[in-house]
Amino acid sequence: MWRYLVLFMFSFSSFAQTTEEKRFVDEVNKLRGGVELEYKIEFYKLAEYHTEYMIYSKTVSHDNYQSRSLEIQRKYKVKVGECVSYGNDSFETLMSSEKHKEMLLNKEYTR
């Protein structure tokens, strides 16, 4: 069973993949030793929806993670992890958290 990593990265100014998000994924992929994260549009759409929710509620959260996770698990038969961050230092912030760093560098997560 493959495990997927859902990255919920966001910018308050845009819902499209930002330069910061691309830099983030590129930096993580450099550290993953050849097992790169892949883009999956269905997961990105869920991330966008959650981003809109966080902007509306003015908080960074894992609110409703269970329902997002179950939707992906049921449809794709995979396990799911989630990282939430914002701002220009998202990479540094998540990498300074042992739990998030472990998830991001876990080569069993591929998307």
Side-chain angles (χ1 to χ4, degrees):
M1 176 183 298
W2 290 98
R3 297 193 329 175
Y4 293 84
L5 175 66
V6 179
L7 293 178
F8 291 130
M9 304 298 297
F10 66 91
S11 160
F12 285 107
S13 61
S14 171
F15 294 133
Q17 186 177 21
T18 65
T19 302
E20 179 63 20
E21 290 168 342
K22 183 172 179 352
R23 184 186 76 84
F24 179 92
V25 173
D26 289 346
E27 290 295 323
V28 170
N29 282 339
K30 284 180 192 175
L31 299 173
R32 289 173 55 90
V35 181
E36 294 188 353
L37 294 172
E38 299 173 29
Y39 178 82
K40 185 102 174 133
I41 188 68
E42 293 87 350
F43 298 174
Y44 195 82
K45 286 180 181 179
L46 284 174
E48 265 187 344
Y49 180 77
H50 185 60
T51 296
E52 291 175 22
Y53 166 82
M54 290 188 291
I55 291 170
Y56 178 78
S57 65
K58 298 180 181 167
T59 184
V60 177
S61 73
H62 291 282
D63 291 356
N64 305 311
Y65 168 72
Q66 190 69 23
S67 63
R68 286 189 304 281
S69 175
L70 287 174
E71 182 176 339
I72 292 170
Q73 289 176 29
R74 286 182 186 137
K75 186 172 183 179
Y76 296 98
K77 308 293 188 236
V78 297
K79 294 181 181 178
V80 179
E82 175 178 83
C83 293
V84 179
S85 185
Y86 74 97
N88 292 332
D89 62 349
S90 294
F91 178 77
E92 292 79 12
T93 299
L94 290 173
M95 293 306 280
S96 67
S97 161
E98 285 303 314
K99 186 175 180 180
H100 288 101
K101 181 178 179 178
E102 181 180 324
M103 185 188 311
L104 289 168
L105 299 182
N106 184 336
K107 293 176 184 174
E108 292 182 13
Y109 289 95
T110 59
R111 294 185 174 96

